[in-house]
Amino acid sequence: MARWLGLAGLIVVLDQISKQWVEHALDYGDRIPLTGFFNLVLTYNPGAAFSFLAGAGGWQRHFFTVLAVVVSAVIVSMLRKQHAQTGIALALSLILGGALGNVIDRVLYGHVIDFIQLYYGQFYWPAFNIADSAICVGAVLMVLDSLRKPSAGASQPD
């Protein structure tokens, strides 16, 4: 269990360090092209993923903070039960670290600091951060883990 909580803690630390570095290196809205598909950009997201509810007037900050804390508590409970199952424990740890990384931003600043921007031609993916990446990778791993396991009650081939 300790290694999974340690991984979640490492995600939080890397996320917060990277956000602070970008906050000090860039002004809001600055964009630094690094490759033909990747920019560093400093932006703030008061909403959820892809700026969902970003313009909702402020209540969403508290809603998403409480939601992240509740989800984090559920994830810790799930980790206690499934810490020996590497696939699901890894997925849960990544999601936990990402959720806590973003909740720290919401509590301290009222918004999440985003800085990774991917693009292709004129198509720009919404900016994100290390916490968002950990949540997405964890969710994909969770889906893959569930697809590898036979469903309960399914008959096995003879």
Side-chain angles (χ1 to χ4, degrees):
M1 176 79 174
R3 71 178 169 161
W4 302 120
L5 293 178
L7 175 59
L10 178 63
I11 297 296
V12 171
V13 169
L14 293 174
D15 178 63
Q16 291 299 304
I17 289 171
S18 65
K19 289 173 179 174
Q20 291 307 305
W21 177 81
V22 169
E23 277 267 292
H24 287 83
L26 301 176
D27 291 325
Y28 181 82
D30 281 354
R31 180 174 296 156
I32 299 174
L34 296 178
T35 71
F37 62 90
F38 171 61
N39 294 327
L40 281 182
V41 59
L42 177 59
T43 187
Y44 303 133
N45 180 2
F50 310 115
S51 296
F52 176 67
L53 293 177
W59 64 267
Q60 73 277 21
R61 171 187 180 192
H62 306 293
F63 173 75
F64 290 126
T65 299
V66 169
L67 180 63
V69 169
V70 169
V71 166
S72 296
V74 169
I75 289 173
V76 169
S77 174
M78 291 172 70
L79 268 173
R80 279 192 186 119
K81 296 175 188 171
Q82 300 181 22
H83 68 275
Q85 298 175 18
T86 302
I88 193 69
L90 175 60
L92 291 169
S93 296
L94 291 172
I95 295 169
L96 177 62
L100 293 175
N102 282 340
V103 85
I104 289 169
D105 286 14
R106 287 187 201 291
V107 169
L108 294 179
Y109 314 115
H111 56 259
V112 173
I113 300 167
D114 289 327
F115 61 91
I116 301 168
Q117 184 181 56
L118 300 177
Y119 64 94
Y120 179 76
Q122 296 300 313
F123 174 76
Y124 286 80
W125 191 257
F128 57 98
N129 57 47
I130 290 175
D132 297 333
S133 299
I135 292 168
C136 290
V137 170
V140 168
L141 290 175
M142 189 176 283
V143 168
L144 292 174
D145 186 70
S146 71
L147 292 174
R148 286 196 328 244
K149 296 177 183 175
S151 61
S155 62
Q156 297 294 325
D158 293 326

